[in-house]
Amino acid sequence: MIEIVELPELVCIGYEIEADWQDLATLMPKLWQRLFAADTGATSFLEVSSEPAEGRFRELVGFLAAGSTEIPDGMTKLVLPARRYLRLHYEGPLLGIASGFQRLYDHAAATGLKTGDLKLDFGYTPGLTDTRHELHVALEPQPLLLG
């Protein structure tokens, strides 16, 4: 089931890269392994993805943290403001996650919702096993209507 949810401000800490689409399949598993090998004490992991320009993607693999959490060496802190998202619970192989995101974009197009380029994927675990994921696509803010 696809639903609209509102998430609070999220503080994400992790490793960030920018790469072309065709390079992500090779780079992302290595980045996850690097994160899981780091001694962060984290238990809630996510991937934050955006497409800043011309087919290149900016990806952060990391964990949710408190605002005051120290940033480990080599990692980046990313603060995402509170906003609305389309959400889909996905269960299946990791290779199918892209099709889950496509379902969210197709739903947005069919219902007239405007999406941004920000995507969130919660559910990664050490070993990159096939677990349940929560996929989110950011919605553009709606203009205020004055009555």
Side-chain angles (χ1 to χ4, degrees), residues 77-95:
K77 179 178 178 178
L78 178 63
V79 179
L80 303 174
R83 68 184 305 168
R84 293 179 336 127
Y85 294 84
L86 282 178
R87 176 174 67 187
L88 170 70
H89 293 280
Y90 169 81
E91 291 190 49
L94 292 176
L95 292 174

Side-chain angles (χ1 to χ4, degrees), residues 96-133:
I97 288 175
S99 66
F101 279 114
Q102 189 59 55
R103 284 184 57 201
L104 289 168
Y105 285 117
D106 291 346
H107 176 82
T111 56
L113 296 170
K114 294 186 191 266
T115 58
D117 69 348
L118 181 66
K119 297 181 293 197
L120 308 177
D121 179 357
F122 296 90
Y124 286 94
T125 57
L128 297 176
T129 56
D130 294 336
T131 57
R132 182 178 182 167
H133 284 248

